[in-house]
Amino acid sequence: MRFLAGLSIAGSFEAGRLFGLITSLDMRRIPFQLVEAAGSVYLGVGQARACVAGEADRPAGPCFLSSGFLVADSFESRTYPVVLVAGRDRLVVDVYEAHPGAAKDLGILQLANEVAAIRTGAQLGGERHHDADTTAARIGLAKFAIEQGQLTKLVVTGQAQQEVTEFFSVGGALSRLKKAYPTSHLYYVDGFFGASPELVAAKSGNLLSLRPLAGTALRGGQVALLNSAKDLSEHRLMVEQLSDDLRPFVKEIDMPKHPVLFDAGRLIHLATPMRGQLLPGGSLADVVLAIAPTAAVSGVPRALAFEMLRELESFRGAYAGIIGISDPFGDGEVYLAIRGAQAADGYLELIAGAGIVADSTVGAEIAEIEAKFDVVTRALGAR
């Protein structure tokens, strides 16, 4: 993948300053967007503009992709004048610019050299507040719709809040999430940030790869998860829908007959790695717009699930949207914006979901949602 095509190197700084720089950008309200893909962290900085498709006006550098939950209604592709890259070794951050002087105009290297160390201490305080009764009521409505034959699956979310402490910063939060979940993919877009374990789609040449997740257990529950009729049913529905959605784009889909375990740190998921050869003319954006949001975060059938979720969960916002990056030649990676949160008015606002199917019980689904809140709050709340 050639994310840096057309950019020029403007300098570099020690990688240990990256998260402090992110905090400085946030405090100064300098626009930025971050995604971790292909083994590196990419940080676009400055006034963004829309990426324009087409050979003649192909932008320099990568296009940063994002959307809200309703992907087709909110999909954005942005390019930035400055792109920072922390590679696999994480020893230095390289600073690239789309035109001479862009990094200097934003003061990137000066800011990086001036940043203070990330403040230590718990970033969250007090108790987490989750209105479990309201979440349970939505689960009950989903169960009723399934019993009536309207749906076979609906992903219901819960909302929670927890107070942030004086030590909270966006850079500090991202640093802690990366330390806690080194194999997950950091992201930040328009105030929403997190560490996603789920690959929506990756394109390299004409090869398309996906790693959808559905079915969840706490670490230690691997055997039970592999034998859970409820989780296997939830996962199968997602894979079937994805397979149908991919047919117009992929010649043949290669995937295992049975799901495998995916280690996401505190949680273990069922996963079905999928690969296929893209038909001529298919792009990463085309595929993402066709398949997202998948049944991992919406429901089956999708159209009716969207209709119900628009009414029941208008608060989703960026949660379960997509975040990703593509190079000027159309290759790239896209992840699901989950295991995330947004800070506002002294609180961290969290959203997490669980897939409701015929065999679901309210208590078990509430416990799954709480476990997904824990992924974020334990990482940020540790002293």
Side-chain angles (χ1 to χ4, degrees):
M1 296 178 188
R2 295 167 284 179
F3 295 126
L4 304 177
L7 300 179
S8 301
I9 187 77
S12 62
F13 58 87
E14 295 176 0
R17 297 178 177 272
L18 176 62
F19 293 109
L21 175 63
I22 289 170
T23 294
S24 291
L25 295 173
D26 183 53
M27 291 177 64
R28 288 168 170 79
R29 301 193 178 186
I30 298 173
F32 69 94
Q33 187 168 338
L34 180 148
V35 64
E36 185 175 1
S40 296
V41 173
Y42 294 87
L43 178 67
V45 185
Q47 191 60 48
R49 63 182 181 87
C51 279
V52 180
E55 191 76 24
D57 41 18
R58 177 183 288 156
C63 293
F64 288 78
L65 314 177
S66 65
S67 80
F69 167 65
L70 297 173
V71 178
D73 295 344
S74 55
F75 180 81
E76 289 193 68
S77 179
R78 304 168 178 167
T79 182
Y80 288 85
V82 175
V83 178
L84 282 62
V85 184
R88 294 178 187 273
D89 59 15
R90 298 293 194 273
L91 295 177
V92 298
V93 175
D94 291 321
V95 180
Y96 293 85
E97 56 190 6
H99 55 82
K104 184 178 180 180
D105 291 344
L106 289 167
I108 297 300
L109 292 170
Q110 181 178 345
L111 277 177
N113 289 326
E114 293 175 351
V115 296
I118 295 293
R119 300 176 70 188
T120 58
Q123 301 218 340
L124 299 179
E127 298 294 323
R128 186 172 71 216
H129 300 287
H130 169 212
D131 186 352
D133 289 341
T134 299
T135 304
R138 287 198 294 274
I139 293 173
L141 290 172
K143 286 277 291 179
F144 180 76
I146 292 168
E147 290 166 1
Q148 295 299 305
Q150 297 174 289
L151 297 163
T152 52
K153 175 182 178 179
L154 189 71
V155 177
V156 172
T157 65
Q159 294 175 287
Q161 285 189 329
Q162 190 163 348
E163 190 174 359
V164 300
T165 70
E166 61 184 296
F167 299 106
F168 178 83
S169 68
V170 169
L174 288 168
S175 175
R176 282 173 168 262
L177 286 169
K178 191 59 189 173
K179 183 177 180 180
Y181 309 108
T183 61
S184 289
H185 296 261
L186 294 180
Y187 65 89
Y188 175 99
V189 57
D190 299 333
F192 193 69
F193 66 89
S196 174
E198 184 158 358
L199 174 68
V200 175
K203 177 184 176 293
S204 180
N206 65 354
L207 180 64
L208 186 72
S209 304
L210 304 90
R211 192 185 59 227
L213 309 177
T216 303
L218 289 170
R219 177 172 291 282
Q222 290 92 318
V223 173
L225 180 60
L226 285 170
N227 291 282
S228 166
K230 180 266 176 185
D231 288 287
L232 289 170
S233 171
E234 178 188 346
H235 191 87
R236 176 182 54 79
L237 289 167
M238 176 195 65
V239 170
E240 288 175 351
Q241 185 184 80
L242 262 177
S243 298
D244 288 342
D245 291 340
L246 285 170
R247 283 196 179 94
F249 302 97
V250 179
K251 185 180 297 185
E252 187 175 326
I253 302 171
D254 180 29
M255 60 183 175
K257 291 183 178 179
H258 304 288
V260 298
L261 293 173
F262 179 80
D263 186 343
R266 290 184 52 80
L267 300 178
I268 306 296
H269 301 287
L270 294 177
T272 294
M274 307 171 78
R275 299 180 68 180
Q277 186 176 341
L278 271 175
L279 295 171
S283 71
L284 179 62
D286 290 337
V287 171
V288 169
L289 288 169
I291 68 174
T294 70
V297 288
S298 56
V300 180
R302 187 159 54 177
L304 184 55
F306 282 0
E307 193 175 311
M308 287 193 67
L309 291 173
R310 281 181 191 271
E311 183 177 346
L312 294 176
E313 299 191 351
S314 59
F315 54 79
R316 281 198 178 198
Y319 169 78
I322 61 100
I323 42 92
I325 190 170
S326 68
D327 70 17
F329 307 92
D331 291 340
E333 297 182 359
V334 172
Y335 291 85
L336 196 61
I338 55 175
R339 311 292 189 271
Q342 187 157 359
D345 301 323
Y347 286 87
L348 195 70
E349 299 177 349
L350 305 112
I351 303 180
I356 313 304
V357 293
D359 294 339
S360 293
T361 64
V362 172
E365 303 302 344
I366 292 289
E368 180 176 330
I369 289 170
E370 293 282 4
K372 290 173 179 175
F373 290 149
D374 281 346
V375 168
V376 177
T377 59
R378 285 178 180 257
L380 303 190
R383 295 187 180 277

